[in-house]
Amino acid sequence: MADWFFHHVCPHSPYVWNGHRFSGCFINITFAFGVNVLTIIVTALLGLTRKIGGRRRRNFQRSLLEKIFLHFLPAIGLCLSLFDMVFLLRKLFTGDVVEYHEWLSTSSLLAVWIFTTIFANCSNSEHIFNNKMLCLWWIVRAIFGIFIFVSTYADFEIFRTVNNSFVVLLDIMFCTSAFIISSEHAKSSSMEDSLLYVNVDLEDCHVGNDKEDKQSCWNLLTFNSVTSVMDDGVKKQLNFEDLLQLPSEMDPSFCHNKLLFCWKDQYSRNCLNPSFFWAICCAYGWSYVSLGLLKVLNDCISFVGPMLLNRLIHYLQQGSGTTDGYVLAISLGLTSIFKSFLDTQYTFHLSKLKLKLRSSIMTIIYQKCLSISIAERSQFSSGEIQTFMSVDTDRTVNLCNSFHDMWSLPLQIGVALYLLYTQVKFAFLSGIAITILLIPVNKWISELIARATEEMMKQKDERIRRTGEILTHIYTLKTHGWEVLFCDWLKKTRSQEVSYLSTRKYLDAWCVFFWATTPTLFSLFTFGLFTLMGYQLDAATAVISLRRLTRFLSCIENNIEPDRANISPSPTINNDQEVQDTAVFMSNACCSWSSSKEVEPNILLNNLTLEIYKGSFVAVIGEVGSGKTSLLSAILGEMQLLHGSVHANRSIAYVSQVPWILSGTIRDNILFGKGYDSQRYQDTLWACALDIDISLMPGGDMAHIGERGVNLSGGQRARLAMARALYHGLDIIMLDDVLSAVDAQVADWILHHAILGSLAQKRTRILSTHNHQAIYSADMVIVMDRGKVKWIGNPANLSGSSYVTFTPLNELDSTQCIQRQDCQVIERTETCKPFLDEKEDTNAPNEVTETVDGEMRNEGRVQLSVYKNYAAFCGWFIAIIICISAFLMQASRNGNDLWLSFWVDTTGRSQMDSSTTFYLVTLCIFCIINSFFTLLRAFSFAFGGLQAAVKVHDTLLNKLIHARIQFFYQTPGGRILNRLSSDLYTIDDSLPFILNILLANFVGLLGIAVVLSYVQVFFLLLLLPFWYVYSKLQFFYRATARELRRLDSVSRSPIYSSFTETLDGSATIRAFKCEDFFFTRFTKHIILYQQTSYSEITASLWLSLRLQLLAGLIISFIAVMAVIGSLGHLPLNIGTPGLVGLALSYAAPIVSLLGNFLTSFTETEKEMVSVERALQYMDIPQEDLHGCRSLDSKWPYRGRIEFQNVTLRYKPSLPAALRDISFTILGGAQVGIIGRTGAGKSSILNSLLRLTPVCAGRILVDGIDIAEVPVRDLRMHFAVVPQTPFLFEGSLRENLDPFHLHDDQKILEVLERCYIRREIEAAGGLDFHVKESGLSFSVGQRQLLCLARALLKSSKVLCLDECTANIDTQTAALLQNTISNECRGMTVITIAHRISTVLNMDDILILDYGILVEQGNPQDLLLNESSKFSNFVKASKM
């Protein structure tokens, strides 16, 4: 039966094999007719099944892709099958034989598209074609179609080859569309459940732009939506309002919930070893796979061009007079144009996917920082966490480029090798041998790069941590003269990072060498032109980042819910009423600051059992380091609970010991996300004594507060944080030593009007304090001692307890104060207003409310000076070597190709004047020369890039270190850190890479232009108009691209600033339950960042598409001119067939090379913005470091200080902070400086330390004008104890004696005098490793260590900024005695507001509005009832 069938269907053709390949009969019957019949059967069965099943059509509007899929593609299929039918009829009418198997193949194809069109218009069409089985069958069908295409291609049937190529492409597009639509439907249905799981409304998530979602097909294909942005970019400087709106699918909240759901699912399945990679695959895997199908189509199209080119060259060699040449030439151009659309669409959708992934990862990292406790976070440094956000996120996102390449590259190489085999048979194996030999080499290099990258990332984390430490404590470093020391430490870390970076760069240089020379070596052995290598390196670095992110996201979250007790109640609570009356309950609680992953945690709170009732006022007291702050942190859940139970009932307001201030307005800090209630807001300001301060500020409560509250005094920051807690009216108010930051009068006001006032009535108040008035006002006192509760009881019984009796030196009698307060209310009148004194932070010029300057960004093109500066950083000699080697490398490659063409032409004419050896030796010489210059260029680039990276970092760091302190007050640390992290990473890694690509593209394009002009003189006719259009396009694009990159850099800074700010205040945010508010705030920053990136990508693809279309026209022109020339219709000879083939092969890369050149040029300009931004900070005002007088090592000898008519301004536009002040401090005198906020107290220290240069007058120390002394030498000879204690990460010995000038015994003696030696020896001695920011110690202990550091310096001048504020009263009294005894003969200047601090001093200075209003001995001034000091003491005793 089969024989009879084949005998009638294939009478003139072999049934299966024709001797070389499958016969046409077998291919048409099996691969065409059989597959088509099966397609019809499967489609019909699905259609009938769905019809019988009664599946109702979903009520939704079809998307554009679905309309194209169901209507447009089947219509094209019908047209192509009809064209094939017309072709067969034409053959029949011209007398050619048309066999039956050809009719069966063509008719069955027509039937397939007829059935598809019918079912596509059915009501249940989406259920038919979205079936997974049918999608897979269409993929199989496309594979069989490739066999049919290869068969017609081998038979050299031009028209049928072109038609079959379109049929195959149509099949691929049809199955790709079906797969994408099916995935989208599945995803949308599953996401409803996932969003319900994370308690987010589906409609609320899609807050995208309807206009962006409903663009026309033409706009989507041509990216016309970005034209309005580009028009604005040419006319003006772009702003965020001008950018494209994000599509709804790219909304950061939606993307966050999507990935978060998958991560939670992954973590629940495998909590011991979860994989963030598989969570990403779950969230975005199907979308990514769908893009893979589009890439398959794109890759297939990329081979159609070379195959058509091969046919065209054969046609030219044969000199045929048919019209096939024109068909081939036009098809070559059309293929190029079609590929340009596919290529840009693939890149566009992949970029959108990467942006969605980036926003998902960034928001998940941010949410994790909001969720994990401080103890759990202690296993990561701040620099490491910031690197997660800045570097690891980008590396993970860039992994998207690599996975499709893992299958795409082997596919492309395999097809390319097959095409080579068809040309040179088995000679291509010699080229394969070279490729195979390079595989283990590449593997070895990739392993080395992975190891170097991992080590480099560790050093980068440490560098960013150290950088953040310097920026945070820059004021303290400058006052100590330590900025150079810390700079050197940072440079050591940087040098270690650069050593691993150099390993990477030089290994990359070898990869570039192998990648660049392989085509040349391949052509030497096989006359081939294609191979690609070296993509596994990006994947290696991304895997490291994925591991790091997985480790961080696996941290245990802080799940303590204050309003839900998930821990069993105390056995001492006997009934429900007592449970309801309990606010805080702890039972045998053992807590540690160690993370859950530490095997041997250090227990700080041991077996705590206590119960605090609702509405009570509890004072927590104890010596320095006794565990007061840790107790509050344990209640908040910030410590790791090792044993026992902790229960906090309901909501908590928390004020930390170092008040956390939000960057924003004063009102924003108080509201903290809560609605504005005018009456409560005014009452809160009054209770916290903020109303007068705010009235004196420019802008009132809308005045902008800088980062960490740099433009507020210490007391203002404490009261602002107190106002926040009071305004929210939460059930529990926890205050960590807030009264120590203000003077006695203001502390008394806050105690009775805020803590004990009406706003806090019926609230549970827990106050950690050393203030004895607050202690005796409490309902209950908890005495802490070495992490244990030593005593609990009524304050009336405190004197009989085992705790020390509070007898502060020269302090007010507390009992009398309380009794007086019971019978009178303090009225803040105008007489006491000038003396509302409080502790000032010397970290800022408190006399003014500074506003933070907006981030500067340049306009227009990147200036040529930026490129010159970068070349100077690289080294001019290296820059010249790079350029020369690149030009000679390209010249040798073009020479190699021309020599091959000459050899082919000579062989074709059988006129070989020389032996084959001569041609091979010459070819080898070209290859050797090319390899040498390639290697020279690669290593020169690596060396130059490293030189630039080192010099930019060191220069930028030196400029920042030597900058005036005002620069840091006016510039958020996030901006500076952005330049030292993201921008520096660009200069380290991205910029040299893209510059290398730019240079390669430029010389490659130049080489192509020279060869084409030499081979085809008609190309010169096209060159001028082409260059005109090209220049117009690139000008139109570059103007916008520059602005978008600058906006991108500007939009990044708030992300890092907000992230750093959140890291500092995460405990406060969690206590107030404001995680959602801050997450929403952070998401807004992400939206702006996404908008700039989305606009930037769309604009880039807008240009790329137009350039590729332009290049497609060039290819068509050259191909058509070659055909015309071969027919002898041109007056000029267009060259030999070998040269024509070379011209056409050179014209093909113009499609990608032109786009790549402008893209790389624009990208280089964008990356140069990082250099531009770094250069901005290399031009900031510097301190005057030089002086004409050198100092003796023992200076100052006596410590006599004279201010002679000193005037100081912080800005020329601001009023003077010090106004013609003159006074003398005798050597060895102890002087106190008091005055209200803005009086000029801090300005005295600022001018003495030359932190701000004086406008007039002079300051003499021991008769020497300090303006003549080198500023760093001056500061090194003074000892300073700042208000905010500063300890850095390192050993305790380094913290106390960073220059290693003293032996251990001397250090221990000083610690003994500061009453902290016992705690230090218990912790581990001088080798104890201090955690970041000194978190190993309490704030009081840190202050004692800073005092010990100052005493160790043995300077004759000691400046104290109320260093006893955060320590208990007894220790403060002992320290005052220590200062009096140990500092005899030293000049001690103290900014003070405790009466006990100044009463026993030799002299006091009272300032008001920068004027010295009173000076004298405090005891003498007290006797004078009309003195301002006497009035102040009277006011504080009210």
Side-chain angles (χ1 to χ4, degrees):
M1 182 69 180
D3 290 341
W4 178 85
F5 176 78
F6 279 109
H7 177 72
H8 285 81
V9 173
C10 311
H12 305 295
S13 173
Y15 296 163
V16 179
W17 193 258
N18 64 4
H20 302 286
R21 60 180 182 271
F22 288 117
S23 65
C25 173
F26 179 80
I27 288 175
N28 282 327
I29 294 299
T30 307
F31 296 158
F33 177 73
V35 170
N36 290 336
V37 169
L38 283 174
T39 304
I40 293 170
I41 293 172
V42 171
T43 306
L45 286 175
L46 283 172
L48 293 173
T49 304
R50 297 292 181 183
K51 193 82 172 178
I52 295 170
R55 291 289 299 269
R56 294 178 61 187
R57 184 179 183 272
R58 291 182 295 128
N59 185 23
F60 72 101
Q61 187 175 5
R62 283 175 176 168
S63 66
L64 176 64
L65 180 61
E66 289 176 310
K67 291 177 181 177
I68 293 173
F69 168 64
L70 293 174
H71 303 297
F72 184 65
L73 294 183
I76 293 178
L78 278 173
C79 294
L80 290 176
S81 55
L82 287 172
F83 178 82
D84 212 7
M85 187 72 73
V86 170
F87 179 78
L88 290 182
L89 291 172
R90 179 176 172 272
K91 279 182 66 178
L92 188 65
F93 292 149
T94 55
D96 294 333
V97 177
V98 180
E99 299 192 11
Y100 291 110
H101 61 81
E102 295 181 80
W103 286 110
L104 288 174
S105 170
T106 304
S107 302
S108 61
L109 178 64
L110 181 61
V112 164
W113 288 114
I114 290 173
F115 268 80
T116 302
T117 303
I118 293 171
F119 281 108
N121 287 281
C122 293
S123 60
N124 60 345
S125 57
E126 63 274 4
H127 298 302
I128 300 173
F129 293 103
N130 289 343
N131 184 275
K132 294 285 185 184
M133 186 65 103
L134 189 61
C135 293
L136 291 173
W137 173 249
W138 275 90
I139 294 174
V140 174
R141 172 184 167 79
I143 294 172
F144 284 123
I146 293 173
F147 287 104
I148 302 172
F149 168 74
V150 171
S151 172
T152 54
Y153 177 80
D155 293 335
F156 202 68
E157 297 182 15
I158 302 298
F159 285 101
R160 293 206 70 187
T161 300
V162 172
N163 188 69
N164 284 336
S165 67
F166 284 120
V167 170
V168 173
L169 292 177
L170 187 66
D171 288 345
I172 295 174
M173 290 174 66
F174 194 81
C175 67
T176 303
S177 302
F179 199 90
I180 292 173
I181 293 170
S182 176
S183 302
E184 288 296 324
H185 286 173
K187 180 181 66 177
S188 61
S189 60
S190 65
M191 274 308 298
E192 291 180 9
D193 297 332
S194 70
L195 290 170
L196 288 173
Y197 177 81
V198 295
N199 197 25
V200 176
D201 188 9
L202 185 66
E203 293 180 1
D204 292 340
C205 283
H206 287 79
V207 202
N209 182 30
D210 293 337
K211 183 180 177 181
E212 198 69 28
D213 292 334
K214 298 177 181 178
Q215 295 183 63
S216 66
C217 177
W218 179 248
N219 284 341
L220 286 172
L221 287 175
T222 58
F223 308 105
N224 279 341
S225 59
V226 81
T227 307
S228 59
V229 179
M230 301 183 77
D231 287 334
D232 292 335
V234 173
K235 299 173 185 175
K236 64 173 186 175
Q237 185 182 38
L238 288 178
N239 294 312
F240 289 110
E241 297 79 17
D242 303 318
L243 300 177
L244 290 177
Q245 295 298 311
L246 291 177
S248 57
E249 60 179 318
M250 293 181 65
D251 180 67
S253 299
F254 179 76
C255 298
H256 166 80
N257 292 317
K258 186 177 183 179
L259 184 57
L260 181 64
F261 169 76
C262 295
W263 168 247
K264 287 184 175 180
D265 181 65
Q266 173 67 210
Y267 191 79
S268 64
R269 292 171 186 268
N270 187 6
C271 59
L272 296 178
N273 189 25
S275 172
F276 191 50
F277 172 75
W278 288 114
I280 293 174
C281 291
C282 172
Y284 298 105
W286 280 114
S287 301
Y288 191 68
V289 171
S290 302
L291 286 176
L293 295 176
L294 187 60
K295 185 166 178 60
V296 171
L297 178 60
N298 192 29
D299 289 347
C300 292
I301 289 290
S302 66
F303 290 109
V304 173
M307 294 170 72
L308 290 173
L309 178 61
N310 181 50
R311 285 300 185 200
L312 182 59
I313 291 173
H314 278 296
Y315 169 84
L316 295 174
Q317 287 177 336
Q318 294 172 0
S320 174
T322 64
T323 58
D324 289 349
Y326 292 106
V327 174
L328 289 169
I330 294 172
S331 298
L332 196 61
L334 291 176
T335 302
S336 174
I337 291 171
F338 183 59
K339 186 182 184 306
S340 65
F341 281 105
L342 285 179
D343 195 37
T344 50
Q345 286 299 311
Y346 169 74
T347 305
F348 176 65
H349 287 95
L350 180 64
S351 300
K352 282 177 62 177
L353 181 65
K354 288 166 65 178
L355 289 180
K356 290 190 284 187
L357 179 58
R358 185 180 71 179
S359 69
S360 302
I361 296 176
M362 293 179 86
T363 50
I364 280 183
I365 292 173
Y366 185 81
Q367 188 184 57
K368 194 68 179 182
C369 290
L370 289 174
S371 304
I372 61 175
S373 65
I374 295 176
E376 188 66 20
R377 205 180 74 198
S378 64
Q379 58 187 301
F380 306 96
S381 67
S382 296
E384 193 174 1
I385 297 174
Q386 287 166 349
T387 307
F388 294 152
M389 182 72 78
S390 60
V391 178
D392 290 321
T393 299
D394 287 340
R395 288 181 180 271
T396 303
V397 168
N398 289 335
L399 193 62
C400 293
N401 295 330
S402 302
F403 276 113
H404 280 321
D405 291 332
M406 291 175 65
W407 61 262
S408 175
L409 290 177
L411 171 66
Q412 293 182 53
I413 291 173
V415 175
L417 292 177
Y418 170 74
L419 295 177
L420 276 175
Y421 166 75
T422 61
Q423 298 298 313
V424 297
K425 302 305 178 187
F426 289 102
F428 80 97
L429 292 176
S430 58
I432 291 238
I434 297 173
T435 307
I436 292 174
L437 286 174
L438 291 177
I439 289 175
V441 176
N442 266 342
K443 184 177 184 299
W444 176 64
I445 290 176
S446 68
E447 290 173 352
L448 292 177
I449 288 180
R451 285 200 293 268
T453 301
E454 192 163 10
E455 294 299 323
M456 186 188 75
M457 294 300 294
K458 292 178 182 177
Q459 296 301 324
K460 186 183 289 291
D461 291 343
E462 176 65 14
R463 177 178 62 79
I464 292 176
R465 184 198 65 77
R466 284 187 177 274
T467 303
E469 195 171 54
I470 290 175
L471 295 176
T472 303
H473 302 286
I474 187 65
Y475 174 84
T476 306
L477 295 180
K478 283 186 175 292
T479 57
H480 286 71
W482 286 359
E483 61 265 43
V484 174
L485 175 66
F486 273 70
C487 184
D488 291 339
W489 287 351
L490 183 59
K491 286 180 181 178
K492 287 180 182 178
T493 306
R494 172 65 173 172
S495 65
Q496 293 174 347
E497 179 190 357
V498 169
S499 67
Y500 293 113
L501 178 65
S502 61
T503 302
R504 277 195 59 201
K505 287 298 179 184
Y506 289 130
L507 289 172
D508 281 340
W510 279 111
C511 290
V512 170
F513 169 72
F514 291 137
W515 170 79
T517 56
T518 298
T520 306
L521 295 174
F522 212 99
S523 66
L524 174 64
F525 290 99
T526 65
F527 307 135
L529 296 172
F530 179 85
T531 191
L532 292 169
M533 301 180 62
Y535 278 86
Q536 63 268 42
L537 304 180
D538 288 340
T541 57
V543 167
I544 295 169
S545 294
L546 273 171
R547 283 205 300 264
R548 287 155 52 86
L549 289 174
T550 300
R551 178 169 161 255
F552 176 67
L553 294 176
S554 300
C555 290
I556 298 174
E557 295 186 1
N558 185 5
N559 291 320
I560 293 180
E561 291 289 341
D563 56 345
R564 286 187 302 173
N566 49 16
I567 305 169
S568 59
S570 168
T572 61
I573 300 179
N574 298 320
N575 54 59
D576 293 339
Q577 182 62 39
E578 291 190 37
V579 172
Q580 293 176 1
D581 292 340
T582 301
V584 176
F585 164 70
M586 302 177 74
S587 175
N588 297 321
C590 295
C591 300
S592 169
W593 282 114
S594 306
S595 69
S596 60
K597 295 185 179 179
E598 292 191 29
V599 181
E600 298 181 0
N602 181 25
I603 298 176
L604 289 180
L605 297 180
N606 196 4
N607 293 320
L608 290 188
T609 299
L610 61 90
E611 185 177 351
I612 299 174
Y613 292 100
K614 291 181 182 178
S616 60
F617 174 33
V618 180
V620 182
I621 63 175
E623 296 181 356
V624 172
S626 58
K628 303 184 294 299
T629 299
S630 297
L631 174 63
L632 300 187
S633 298
I635 295 172
L636 288 172
E638 296 299 327
M639 299 183 74
Q640 182 191 0
L641 183 63
L642 303 173
H643 179 264
S645 60
V646 177
H647 168 72
N649 193 13
R650 299 189 180 176
S651 54
I652 300 176
Y654 173 62
V655 179
S656 58
Q657 192 168 9
V658 178
W660 180 66
I661 303 302
L662 184 67
S663 179
T665 64
I666 291 176
R667 182 179 293 186
D668 289 340
N669 272 276
I670 296 175
L671 298 184
F672 215 55
K674 190 176 181 180
Y676 178 69
D677 182 338
S678 177
Q679 186 59 48
R680 185 175 183 85
Y681 182 77
Q682 296 300 327
D683 292 343
T684 301
L685 294 181
W686 179 82
C688 295
L690 275 173
D691 47 353
I692 295 176
D693 296 77
I694 291 175
S695 67
L696 297 175
M697 293 180 180
D701 66 344
M702 300 308 290
H704 188 86
I705 306 303
E707 199 171 44
R708 297 186 180 93
V710 294
N711 49 340
L712 295 179
S713 68
Q716 286 172 330
R717 289 202 295 267
R719 287 183 284 140
L720 187 59
M722 179 73 199
R724 176 196 301 153
L726 213 57
Y727 180 79
H728 276 249
L730 301 179
D731 298 296
I732 300 174
I733 301 175
M734 295 207 302
L735 311 172
D736 194 355
D737 203 14
V738 294
L739 299 180
S740 66
V742 295
D743 68 272
Q745 180 194 359
V746 176
D748 186 74
W749 177 272
I750 292 175
L751 175 64
H752 293 95
H753 293 82
I755 299 175
L756 299 175
S758 59
L759 291 173
Q761 281 183 351
K762 300 181 181 180
R763 313 289 180 196
T764 305
R765 292 142 293 168
I766 305 173
L767 172 67
S768 166
T769 186
H770 303 296
N771 185 296
H772 64 285
Q773 295 185 40
I775 294 169
Y776 285 99
S777 301
D779 301 319
M780 181 173 72
V781 175
I782 300 173
V783 181
M784 297 294 297
D785 184 33
R786 298 189 182 184
K788 295 183 179 180
V789 175
K790 189 174 183 179
W791 184 83
I792 300 179
N794 190 283
N797 302 324
L798 181 61
S799 58
S801 73
S802 58
Y803 186 65
V804 294
T805 304
F806 280 80
T807 55
L809 183 64
N810 291 327
E811 193 59 86
L812 302 174
D813 180 78
S814 58
T815 308
Q816 294 176 5
C817 278
I818 298 301
Q819 290 173 352
R820 280 194 291 270
Q821 277 303 123
D822 290 338
C823 61
Q824 68 177 39
V825 178
I826 297 177
E827 295 293 340
R828 292 188 303 146
T829 63
E830 289 300 319
T831 58
C832 67
K833 186 201 303 185
F835 300 100
L836 283 176
D837 183 35
E838 62 189 49
K839 174 188 266 184
E840 287 188 271
D841 186 358
T842 57
N843 287 9
N846 302 320
E847 289 67 30
V848 295
T849 301
E850 297 280 355
T851 55
V852 177
D853 296 334
E855 184 161 13
M856 181 177 64
R857 61 187 178 100
N858 292 358
E859 296 184 34
R861 68 177 63 188
V862 176
Q863 299 298 319
L864 184 61
S865 60
V866 177
Y867 293 92
K868 289 181 178 178
N869 277 297
Y870 185 74
F873 287 133
C874 294
W876 283 106
F877 177 75
I878 291 296
I880 293 170
I881 290 293
I882 290 170
C883 294
I884 292 175
S885 60
F887 279 105
L888 293 177
M889 179 198 73
Q890 185 62 37
S892 60
R893 180 175 295 176
N894 293 139
N896 178 80
D897 294 338
L898 286 169
W899 184 255
L900 274 173
S901 176
F902 173 71
W903 188 0
V904 169
D905 286 335
T906 306
T907 306
R909 295 194 302 266
S910 301
Q911 296 174 356
M912 293 183 64
D913 301 326
S914 305
S915 64
T916 304
T917 306
F918 169 73
Y919 291 100
L920 278 176
V921 169
T922 306
L923 201 61
C924 284
I925 292 172
F926 274 116
C927 289
I928 292 170
I929 293 173
N930 179 263
S931 300
F932 171 75
F933 285 116
T934 302
L935 191 64
L936 180 62
R937 190 202 77 177
F939 276 85
S940 298
F941 243 114
F943 180 78
L946 287 169
Q947 286 283 100
V950 172
K951 289 183 180 178
V952 169
H953 175 269
D954 290 351
T955 306
L956 181 59
L957 183 62
N958 288 331
K959 291 292 184 180
L960 288 170
I961 285 295
H962 298 145
R964 293 179 181 176
I965 195 69
Q966 283 76 17
F967 168 77
F968 298 97
Y969 297 154
Q970 297 167 4
T971 308
R975 290 186 196 166
I976 305 174
L977 196 62
N978 190 8
R979 282 164 171 81
L980 287 166
S981 56
S982 295
D983 288 323
L984 195 63
Y985 172 72
T986 297
I987 296 169
D988 286 354
D989 204 26
S990 307
L991 181 57
F993 175 75
I994 197 68
L995 264 177
N996 200 354
I997 293 176
L998 172 66
L999 187 59
N1001 286 334
F1002 174 72
V1003 295
L1005 203 57
L1006 186 64
I1008 287 177
V1010 171
V1011 171
L1012 286 178
S1013 300
Y1014 169 72
V1015 173
Q1016 272 208 350
V1017 71
F1018 287 103
F1019 177 71
L1020 294 174
L1021 298 176
L1022 193 65
L1023 194 58
L1024 197 60
F1026 165 73
W1027 181 254
Y1028 175 79
V1029 175
Y1030 178 72
S1031 61
K1032 287 294 183 183
L1033 281 174
Q1034 62 91 18
F1035 171 79
F1036 189 58
Y1037 166 70
R1038 281 175 54 208
T1040 303
R1042 283 191 305 266
E1043 293 301 312
L1044 289 174
R1045 175 48 60 99
R1046 287 171 178 143
L1047 280 176
D1048 183 77
S1049 298
V1050 170
S1051 66
R1052 252 199 330 256
S1053 294
I1055 292 175
Y1056 297 129
S1057 295
S1058 176
F1059 186 54
T1060 305
E1061 200 170 54
T1062 302
L1063 287 176
D1064 294 338
S1066 57
T1068 303
I1069 294 171
R1070 282 190 290 273
F1072 278 84
K1073 297 296 174 196
C1074 287
E1075 294 96 331
D1076 291 340
F1077 170 72
F1078 276 85
F1079 182 79
T1080 303
R1081 186 169 172 262
F1082 181 76
T1083 303
K1084 291 178 181 176
H1085 297 319
I1086 293 290
I1087 289 174
L1088 281 183
Y1089 189 28
Q1090 292 286 88
Q1091 275 186 269
T1092 55
S1093 300
Y1094 178 65
S1095 302
E1096 196 175 0
I1097 289 166
T1098 308
S1100 175
L1101 292 173
W1102 177 93
L1103 173 74
S1104 178
L1105 176 65
R1106 280 148 183 80
L1107 288 180
Q1108 291 189 55
L1109 293 176
L1110 193 61
L1113 295 176
I1114 293 175
I1115 291 176
S1116 300
F1117 174 80
I1118 293 176
V1120 169
M1121 293 303 293
V1123 173
I1124 294 173
S1126 69
L1127 297 176
H1129 296 159
L1130 290 176
L1132 296 175
N1133 184 11
I1134 63 167
T1136 63
L1139 288 177
V1140 171
L1142 180 64
L1144 289 171
S1145 63
Y1146 264 43
I1150 288 183
V1151 178
S1152 59
L1153 203 56
L1154 274 175
N1156 289 342
F1157 170 69
L1158 189 53
T1159 301
S1160 58
F1161 182 74
T1162 308
E1163 285 299 319
T1164 300
E1165 200 169 37
K1166 291 176 186 176
E1167 303 293 346
M1168 274 292 173
V1169 171
S1170 294
V1171 180
E1172 180 184 70
R1173 285 161 57 81
L1175 289 171
Q1176 287 173 357
Y1177 280 7
M1178 292 181 191
D1179 196 29
I1180 53 180
Q1182 301 286 286
E1183 287 187 309
D1184 184 10
L1185 301 176
H1186 306 291
C1188 59
R1189 184 189 290 267
S1190 60
L1191 295 176
D1192 185 76
S1193 60
K1194 295 181 180 179
W1195 183 89
Y1197 310 108
R1198 292 174 293 130
R1200 178 185 174 91
I1201 300 173
E1202 298 176 65
F1203 273 59
Q1204 298 179 357
N1205 305 109
V1206 173
T1207 299
L1208 180 143
R1209 296 177 189 271
Y1210 289 106
K1211 280 185 177 181
S1213 59
L1214 295 175
L1218 295 178
R1219 305 183 184 189
D1220 199 31
I1221 277 190
S1222 296
F1223 62 84
T1224 300
I1225 299 175
L1226 299 177
Q1230 295 191 8
V1231 178
I1233 303 175
I1234 62 175
R1236 67 169 190 82
T1237 298
K1241 303 187 296 295
S1242 298
S1243 299
I1244 296 289
L1245 290 185
N1246 286 343
S1247 57
L1248 180 62
L1249 296 169
R1250 287 182 57 190
L1251 290 167
T1252 304
V1254 297
C1255 304
R1258 62 178 187 160
I1259 303 172
L1260 304 179
V1261 177
D1262 283 352
I1264 296 177
D1265 189 347
I1266 63 172
E1268 300 175 356
V1269 179
V1271 68
R1272 197 163 288 123
D1273 289 348
L1274 175 73
R1275 295 168 187 166
M1276 292 284 284
H1277 284 80
F1278 293 159
V1280 181
V1281 180
Q1283 175 192 347
T1284 304
F1286 166 56
L1287 294 178
F1288 54 87
E1289 185 169 343
S1291 70
L1292 186 60
R1293 182 185 289 101
E1294 288 178 334
N1295 271 274
L1296 295 174
D1297 184 23
F1299 294 100
H1300 305 288
L1301 300 176
H1302 306 282
D1303 57 21
D1304 289 3
Q1305 187 58 38
K1306 175 71 173 174
I1307 298 174
L1308 291 173
E1309 288 176 3
V1310 173
L1311 291 174
E1312 181 75 35
R1313 297 203 298 269
C1314 293
Y1315 306 98
I1316 197 173
R1317 177 172 178 173
R1318 184 181 64 179
E1319 288 83 354
I1320 296 303
E1321 290 178 339
L1326 296 177
D1327 293 323
F1328 175 74
H1329 184 78
V1330 180
K1331 291 183 179 180
E1332 187 177 6
S1333 299
L1335 294 177
S1336 312
F1337 300 100
S1338 68
V1339 176
Q1341 288 174 324
R1342 280 179 251 165
Q1343 277 191 325
L1344 294 179
L1345 288 171
C1346 289
L1347 179 60
R1349 179 198 293 155
L1351 295 178
L1352 200 62
K1353 202 168 186 178
S1354 301
S1355 172
K1356 283 290 183 179
V1357 177
L1358 175 63
C1359 303
L1360 304 175
D1361 188 4
E1362 193 53 64
C1363 64
T1364 59
N1366 293 311
I1367 56 180
D1368 61 272
T1369 313
Q1370 185 195 26
T1371 306
L1374 292 173
L1375 276 177
Q1376 287 170 20
N1377 290 331
T1378 299
I1379 293 171
S1380 299
N1381 297 327
E1382 298 294 332
C1383 299
R1384 284 179 180 173
M1386 295 172 59
T1387 302
V1388 180
I1389 303 174
T1390 303
I1391 292 180
H1393 51 73
R1394 271 186 179 177
I1395 299 173
S1396 60
T1397 306
V1398 299
L1399 280 178
N1400 288 334
M1401 289 189 172
D1402 301 321
D1403 203 5
I1404 61 170
L1405 306 175
I1406 300 179
L1407 301 177
D1408 190 23
Y1409 289 103
I1411 300 172
L1412 180 61
V1413 295
E1414 193 166 84
Q1415 180 181 6
N1417 182 279
Q1419 299 298 332
D1420 296 339
L1421 293 174
L1422 277 176
L1423 298 176
N1424 182 3
E1425 294 185 359
S1426 63
S1427 69
K1428 292 186 178 294
F1429 181 68
S1430 179
N1431 291 333
F1432 174 72
V1433 173
K1434 289 177 183 178
S1436 65
K1437 289 181 179 180
M1438 290 177 63

